[in-house]
Amino acid sequence: MIVVGDFNSRAVTDRYQRLIGSGDASSRLVNAYDRAYSPNRDEMSHPNELIDHILTGGPCHTVTSNWQVDKRTLNTGETLSDHDPVIARLHFTSLKQ
């Protein structure tokens, strides 16, 4: 399962922790950033500073091979959105082997 969006909550908030089910491992969602091989280490691009998130969960194992915040601008200098898009390349494998 993939859940994406503007959640208006940084990863450190109680609302975000309830959303991901931090107290219940069976229904837990995981931020794609936490599954990344080498996420962008820019402090302002860390999920603790973002309100847009890519979350995964369900009966599979997820690995993120690329996670980044797209800070590009248009040729006019305008930003792509009112906040920078989060992009991730996700790989899923079955938990049952």
Side-chain angles (χ1 to χ4, degrees):
M1 168 177 45
I2 304 170
V3 181
V4 299
D6 174 352
F7 295 99
N8 287 322
S9 295
R10 290 174 171 79
V12 294
T13 64
D14 289 340
R15 181 185 313 161
Y16 176 90
Q17 295 302 313
R18 284 192 306 274
L19 172 70
I20 65 168
S22 61
D24 182 4
S26 65
S27 63
R28 183 168 163 74
L29 294 171
V30 176
N31 196 307
Y33 177 93
D34 296 327
R35 299 279 193 223
Y37 291 139
S38 56
N40 181 332
R41 298 294 184 194
D42 172 19
E43 189 173 310
M44 295 310 293
S45 296
H46 189 279
N48 290 347
E49 300 300 326
L50 301 174
I51 60 173
D52 298 316
H53 302 284
I54 301 172
L55 308 172
T56 63
C60 59
H61 176 71
T62 308
V63 173
T64 306
S65 63
N66 185 12
W67 185 98
Q68 62 184 328
V69 176
D70 189 349
K71 296 184 177 284
R72 293 178 295 168
T73 58
L74 302 173
N75 291 339
T76 61
E78 295 176 276
T79 59
L80 298 172
S81 178
D82 59 334
H83 32 93
D84 297 323
V86 177
I87 302 166
R89 182 172 302 210
L90 306 172
H91 305 270
F92 298 91
T93 58
S94 173
L95 290 176
K96 298 177 183 178
Q97 295 296 332

